[in-house]
Amino acid sequence: PNAPWDAIEARAKYLESTFRQTFEQHASKDSPGAQEKSKSRDPSQTPSRVNFCEELCDIAASQLPDLWRLGQLYFTGELRGPHDPKPGDFKRMVLTAIEKFCVYLRLAILIAADQRALRQTSGLSWPIGSASATHQFLPWIPQCLRYTRIAYASLISLDLPSEALDIIQKLIDEVRLFCFSIIFKRATDRCKKLGTHETWELGVEEYPGATLLPAALEALLIETLDEVQTVCMQPEAREGNLLEPQSDGQREVTQRLQEFLSAFSGVIEELAFHSHDEETPTHNVSQLLGFPNAQQPDSVAGSGGGVGLGSGTAAVTWEQRMLCCLANYAYCNKSFFQHLGEIFVRYGYPLPTLAIETARYTVNQLFTNLLEEYVEHKGDPLVGTIEPSMYLGRFQWDHEMEIGQLRPYAHECCDNLVGVYSEIYSISPALLRPILESIVQTISEELARLMSCVQRFSFTGAIQAHVDIRLLRDALEGYVNETAKNYFMEALEAINPPLNGEQKRKADEILERVKRNMRLQLLCFGVKEP
């Protein structure tokens, strides 16, 4: 008999059975029966999984070195016996012990991993507790990583074969990535609540109209990257770089950032549409049928560091909030999301291009949807007033009429557009073009429809219609797209019979005079790129 070798084998078996007993003892505390008994468990108590990791790592850190040293002594001859086992047998024994150690830790820590595969290979499983118990465990995972790293450090110093250390390194890198994902998911949950902090304060120099909400997101991202840096991303002794190209780590970073940015886009959407349900939007449209609507948007007054909407306690109107949300979307798409990507680079990550481009595509879609909503909300009432105002007082285009100025409906149309213009301009001038272009297109379409419905124009009626349409077309020239241009053309061509030379001269002369009288309004639309 080879007593020294038997002692080594017994030592290895004892180590494995200690691992197993420790596992069963702690896992049983999470079994459904045990959980029933301890319904009143204090949530601040350390979860069983954490106590298990600590104890298992202690056992590995104290007993594996002893086993290794015994083996070294045996093979350097001090304990050799006659029927010698080979060093390979001992190496297998150590590898098996380390593999078991890692399997047990995987079962306890990696609750998001493929537990079925683990169960099939090990024949073991940690009882699936309640959702709340699992949730309580998540914040403790960095602590479990720390225990594992401490045990790993004590084994690195032993001069073990590298394949033995590789087994633990692989586990540690998986746990590090899991930590990263948990911390980021928690940040995403916090991101979803950012809407409650929206103060509608305009604080973005490079994009007027954007609020301080993106800055709150940036602060949350920096806090999160700081945390993952401290907890898991910084490799310690003999650990891998989680950010190799095409690695699981890179895929994880992309996916988590994508979820984070997508949650933020959802926050803006919620702010835009949720606030819509809470109040009846006001239509700042003057109608000749009643009194002009004197309700002007609140002035945008300064408050504190940034510019706040409304002054003092004045409520922020639904329209103003929509404009801020549109500006936030545009700002995210234009530069803010790219800026967040650069923060990742500062922390040593590769630029997460895929996540940024996906998020930009999303905000672009949401911008378009919200823009349509705003245009419909502002444009429909405005366009809806044209026909009733045009035919007010039983007006007919085929009657002779006094000419020399603009018809009231065209004046009104201009005034209403000036109202929309000033509301947008006071918050985010960059939104003027996309919004006004859409509204002007609807106006031109309505004019083309109304003119094509007129059977016949009188001599003076034809001149008047010509002046009205040309004035609107020329005034809004900066916001007339190809489609609108064609509609204005259609409206002019619908004047029937067409103008003769005398009518044309008369129309030109009136148009010049009207433009001189309306200099101020026209100046407003003439600002090229506000």
Side-chain angles (χ1 to χ4, degrees):
N2 183 347
W5 181 252
D6 291 347
I8 290 173
E9 277 190 322
R11 195 66 187 254
K13 280 201 181 71
Y14 172 71
L15 177 60
E16 279 186 36
S17 73
T18 312
F19 282 163
R20 179 148 198 154
Q21 274 167 9
T22 310
F23 176 81
E24 284 167 356
Q25 178 197 338
H26 286 279
S28 67
K29 289 179 185 161
D30 276 355
S31 69
Q35 286 208 323
E36 275 306 302
K37 281 198 197 99
S38 63
K39 263 272 167 22
S40 58
R41 223 180 93 181
D42 174 10
S44 62
Q45 252 188 350
T46 312
S48 313
R49 290 171 187 269
V50 182
N51 292 328
F52 165 68
C53 290
E54 183 177 17
E55 197 172 324
L56 196 78
C57 290
D58 276 349
I59 295 166
S62 58
Q63 297 198 22
L64 269 166
D66 290 350
L67 178 66
W68 179 250
R69 287 190 198 100
L70 270 179
Q72 297 312 88
L73 287 172
Y74 180 83
F75 287 108
T76 49
E78 290 177 36
L79 297 169
R80 291 298 282 271
H83 310 290
D84 290 347
K86 305 282 176 290
D89 299 333
F90 177 65
K91 184 176 162 184
R92 248 193 316 283
M93 194 184 283
V94 172
L95 286 178
T96 306
I98 288 176
E99 263 163 10
K100 286 271 166 64
F101 168 66
C102 290
V103 164
Y104 287 122
L105 286 177
R106 264 196 185 82
L107 287 164
I109 302 174
L110 294 175
I111 50 179
D114 185 353
Q115 290 286 343
R116 230 177 74 228
L118 273 175
R119 203 166 45 244
Q120 281 163 354
T121 51
S122 66
L124 295 165
S125 65
W126 194 283
I128 297 166
S130 63
S132 66
T134 307
H135 201 71
Q136 270 172 23
F137 169 60
L138 292 176
W140 291 86
I141 290 174
Q143 184 67 31
C144 296
L145 172 62
R146 236 186 325 273
Y147 294 142
T148 314
R149 278 172 151 172
I150 292 165
Y152 186 41
S154 68
L155 299 179
I156 290 174
S157 59
L158 291 180
D159 200 21
L160 288 167
S162 66
E163 61 203 279
L165 293 173
D166 290 348
I167 298 170
I168 310 179
Q169 186 210 324
K170 187 168 180 291
L171 167 73
I172 284 182
D173 288 348
E174 281 173 41
V175 177
R176 286 170 63 206
L177 204 50
F178 188 35
C179 271
F180 171 87
S181 117
I182 286 162
I183 293 169
F184 246 89
K185 279 180 177 160
R186 202 180 313 139
T188 302
D189 289 340
R190 282 176 62 192
C191 168
K192 289 174 183 166
K193 299 190 180 86
L194 283 180
T196 56
H197 305 301
E198 177 60 284
T199 56
W200 307 105
E201 211 170 300
L202 311 182
V204 181
E205 254 173 65
E206 66 270 36
Y207 208 97
T211 68
L212 298 180
L213 201 60
L217 184 77
E218 184 176 337
L220 175 56
L221 179 67
I222 288 173
E223 189 186 319
T224 307
L225 287 174
D226 277 337
E227 187 181 349
V228 294
Q229 205 62 5
T230 320
V231 170
C232 56
M233 283 320 248
Q234 200 61 52
E236 293 189 1
R238 210 182 175 286
E239 291 180 3
N241 165 18
L242 297 183
L243 301 167
E244 294 294 329
Q246 271 82 51
S247 62
D248 287 348
Q250 264 215 19
R251 277 190 288 278
E252 189 68 31
V253 170
T254 292
Q255 195 188 337
R256 294 299 154 221
L257 177 60
Q258 221 162 293
E259 287 167 8
F260 184 69
L261 297 181
S262 166
F264 185 64
S265 312
V267 166
I268 301 176
E269 187 178 24
E270 175 75 7
L271 284 167
F273 288 103
H274 177 61
S275 51
H276 183 13
D277 305 334
E278 286 172 13
E279 64 176 271
T280 316
T282 52
H283 297 291
N284 293 329
V285 169
S286 85
Q287 243 176 315
L288 293 173
L289 310 175
F291 292 101
N293 183 348
Q295 183 185 10
Q296 279 309 312
D298 302 329
S299 61
V300 175
S303 72
V307 177
L309 289 183
S311 43
T313 54
V316 182
T317 67
W318 182 69
E319 291 88 344
Q320 290 173 320
R321 291 199 291 242
M322 275 194 114
L323 289 168
C324 288
C325 291
L326 279 167
N328 276 337
Y329 277 147
Y331 171 51
C332 286
N333 179 35
K334 186 167 174 253
S335 60
F336 178 64
F337 281 170
Q338 185 60 33
H339 164 68
L340 294 185
E342 282 149 16
I343 294 176
F344 270 86
V345 175
R346 277 213 310 267
Y347 276 85
Y349 294 74
L351 186 68
T353 312
L354 180 67
I356 291 163
E357 285 315 308
T358 309
R360 285 184 58 202
Y361 176 78
T362 306
V363 291
N364 224 353
Q365 296 291 100
L366 291 168
F367 176 86
T368 308
N369 298 349
L370 189 53
L371 184 73
E372 275 174 24
E373 180 91 4
Y374 181 85
V375 165
E376 195 177 301
H377 165 70
K378 292 311 260 188
D380 286 3
L382 191 154
V383 174
T385 62
I386 298 176
E387 185 172 15
S389 302
M390 184 183 281
Y391 290 111
L392 202 63
R394 301 206 177 141
F395 170 82
Q396 294 297 324
W397 285 108
D398 59 353
H399 293 179
E400 293 302 335
M401 57 195 74
E402 264 188 53
I403 51 176
Q405 45 193 0
L406 208 55
R407 286 279 304 150
Y409 81 88
H411 251 305
E412 178 195 45
C413 194
C414 248
D415 289 347
N416 281 331
L417 270 171
V418 169
V420 176
Y421 182 100
S422 69
E423 181 173 275
I424 303 166
Y425 188 83
S426 68
I427 288 174
S428 187
L431 296 172
L432 281 168
R433 176 160 312 288
I435 294 171
L436 288 182
E437 226 171 61
S438 298
I439 295 178
V440 169
Q441 184 178 314
T442 331
I443 290 172
S444 64
E445 187 178 358
E446 176 69 351
L447 289 171
R449 183 187 75 78
L450 290 170
M451 292 297 140
S452 67
C453 292
V454 180
Q455 297 298 300
R456 194 187 155 278
F457 289 82
S458 66
F459 185 87
T460 45
I463 297 172
Q464 185 63 56
H466 199 82
V467 169
D468 295 344
I469 292 163
R470 271 181 60 194
L471 179 102
L472 286 169
R473 183 188 67 183
D474 296 355
L476 304 168
E477 190 185 16
Y479 300 98
V480 171
N481 58 22
E482 274 310 307
T483 315
K485 202 177 279 175
N486 292 334
Y487 279 131
F488 278 123
M489 189 62 80
E490 243 176 75
L492 289 169
E493 285 168 355
I495 298 172
N496 174 39
L499 273 66
N500 62 25
E502 187 194 339
Q503 286 171 303
K504 278 202 181 101
R505 265 195 310 283
K506 190 75 184 143
D508 288 349
E509 180 193 312
I510 296 171
L511 192 63
E512 277 316 299
R513 190 163 61 245
V514 168
K515 281 184 178 174
R516 270 201 306 280
N517 294 341
M518 289 179 65
R519 256 197 331 274
L520 271 179
Q521 277 118 309
L522 302 187
L523 209 60
C524 153
F525 296 118
V527 183
K528 270 290 165 268
E529 285 297 330

